[in-house]
Amino acid sequence: MSDPTPVIDDLREESEELDALVGRLRPEQWALPTPAPGWTVAHQIAHLAWTDRGALVAVTDPDGFRALVEKALAAPTGFVDDGAEEGAVLPPAALLDRWRRGRTALAAALRAAPPGTRFPWYGPPMAAASMATARLMETWAHGLDIADALGARPEPTGRLRHIARLGVRTRDHAFRTRGLTPPAEEFRVELTGPHGELWAFGPEDAPQRVTGPGADFCLLVTRRAHRADLALRADGADAGRWLDIAQAFAGPPGPGRRPKGEDAR
């Protein structure tokens, strides 16, 4: 049984780092466009607040969360954008307050959850550690979009190990969400962390392998960079196919990012 405390602590640190970036923005900077089409800085924070709120409902009110799932099924192509739009129209101070309150309440609920409890989600049910990992992944990924809009370059941290692990564990999901049969055998994944540490997953003797920088792998599985722009290596046809389609999040993959230098039109 995984202790959720370390990842909840890392989620708090990741959120605080992003908060320090957006908390000092001028009002007009909240309207800057980010790499997500149609989304401003405000939309990115609104999405985090909206998803934190959904996660809190999943942890504290499973019946209420089922109602959210029904709403999502009724508008599968628009419910995420609608949630971001609803928060993005708020004044920045009110939006920041919503995000801060929501993530604090979610962290408290995850810490208080009985060991072994699994919570409903838009994908498979998740334990507290997995829920916190998913929230850390989204906070980091959407924080990158915000940093891009502001011309900032956040440094990778050891917190990315959680995202890398989630990326490995969601391998089969990436295949199934595209109607593909997942490979039968496990892969070996060996990644280099920001301080030179090794992040290793899967059997050491697996014939198919993925190697490279841990930060690049996290960019790949959050679909924040195209594989062609990353220093990741795949040994084996199935491993190579995985790197083309990898995603660590529930829902449709979306178009992903184009290679650098390619005309985005």
Side-chain angles (χ1 to χ4, degrees), residues 11-12 15 18 44-60 65 68 95-107 109-110 121-122 131-140 142:
L11 170 59
R12 183 193 67 242
S15 300
L18 177 56
Q44 299 283 354
I45 294 298
H47 173 72
L48 291 177
W50 176 81
T51 317
D52 283 345
R53 184 169 53 192
L56 180 62
V57 173
V59 172
T60 60
F65 184 75
L68 295 182
L95 178 54
L96 266 177
D97 182 68
R98 174 181 288 188
W99 178 44
R100 289 166 177 166
R101 288 177 181 271
R103 73 184 198 236
T104 299
L106 174 60
L110 289 172
W121 195 239
Y122 297 104
M131 181 72 81
T133 300
R135 300 310 310 131
L136 192 158
M137 173 196 66
E138 282 223 66
T139 302
W140 179 74
H142 290 285

Side-chain angles (χ1 to χ4, degrees), residues 51 63 100 104 111 152 155 167 174 215 242 258:
T51 317
D63 289 337
R100 289 166 177 166
T104 299
R111 292 183 193 278
E155 291 294 324
W242 178 40
R258 293 179 179 271

Side-chain angles (χ1 to χ4, degrees), residues 34 74 103 118 153 192 224 231 235 264:
T34 68
R103 73 184 198 236
R118 299 184 71 82
R153 296 187 179 277
T192 304
R224 259 44 187 192
D235 295 311

Side-chain angles (χ1 to χ4, degrees), residues 7-209:
V7 67
I8 295 173
D9 290 343
D10 282 349
L11 170 59
R12 183 193 67 242
E13 291 182 11
E14 192 69 36
S15 300
E16 289 174 350
E17 186 172 303
L18 177 56
D19 197 317
L21 180 63
V22 299
R24 61 174 182 264
L25 294 182
R26 301 184 303 276
E28 64 271 18
Q29 289 179 293
W30 286 83
L32 289 173
T34 68
W39 279 27
T40 64
V41 170
H43 284 88
Q44 299 283 354
I45 294 298
H47 173 72
L48 291 177
W50 176 81
T51 317
D52 283 345
R53 184 169 53 192
L56 180 62
V57 173
V59 172
T60 60
D61 181 11
D63 289 337
F65 184 75
R66 278 190 282 274
L68 295 182
V69 172
E70 291 174 3
K71 184 177 180 180
L73 292 174
T77 61
F79 80 105
V80 172
D81 285 335
D82 290 345
E85 191 66 39
E86 183 268 334
V89 299
L90 293 173
L95 178 54
L96 266 177
D97 182 68
R98 174 181 288 188
W99 178 44
R100 289 166 177 166
R101 288 177 181 271
R103 73 184 198 236
T104 299
L106 174 60
L110 289 172
R111 292 183 193 278
T117 304
R118 299 184 71 82
F119 311 108
W121 195 239
Y122 297 104
M126 293 194 288
S130 296
M131 181 72 81
T133 300
R135 300 310 310 131
L136 192 158
M137 173 196 66
E138 282 223 66
T139 302
W140 179 74
H142 290 285
L144 288 180
D145 292 344
I146 291 170
D148 186 279
L150 300 174
R153 296 187 179 277
E155 291 294 324
T157 72
R159 297 189 293 269
L160 294 183
R161 190 181 193 285
H162 300 296
I163 302 174
R165 181 172 179 268
L166 181 62
V168 172
R169 294 186 64 188
T170 53
R171 184 200 71 170
D172 290 359
H173 164 72
F175 281 87
R176 292 191 181 104
T177 199
R178 291 164 177 80
L180 302 173
T181 300
E185 71 280 358
E186 291 186 67
F187 300 158
R188 176 68 170 180
V189 179
E190 294 185 355
L191 306 170
T192 304
H195 306 293
E197 67 274 29
L198 175 65
W199 299 342
F201 310 91
E204 290 187 37
D205 60 350
Q208 300 209 54
R209 309 170 71 83

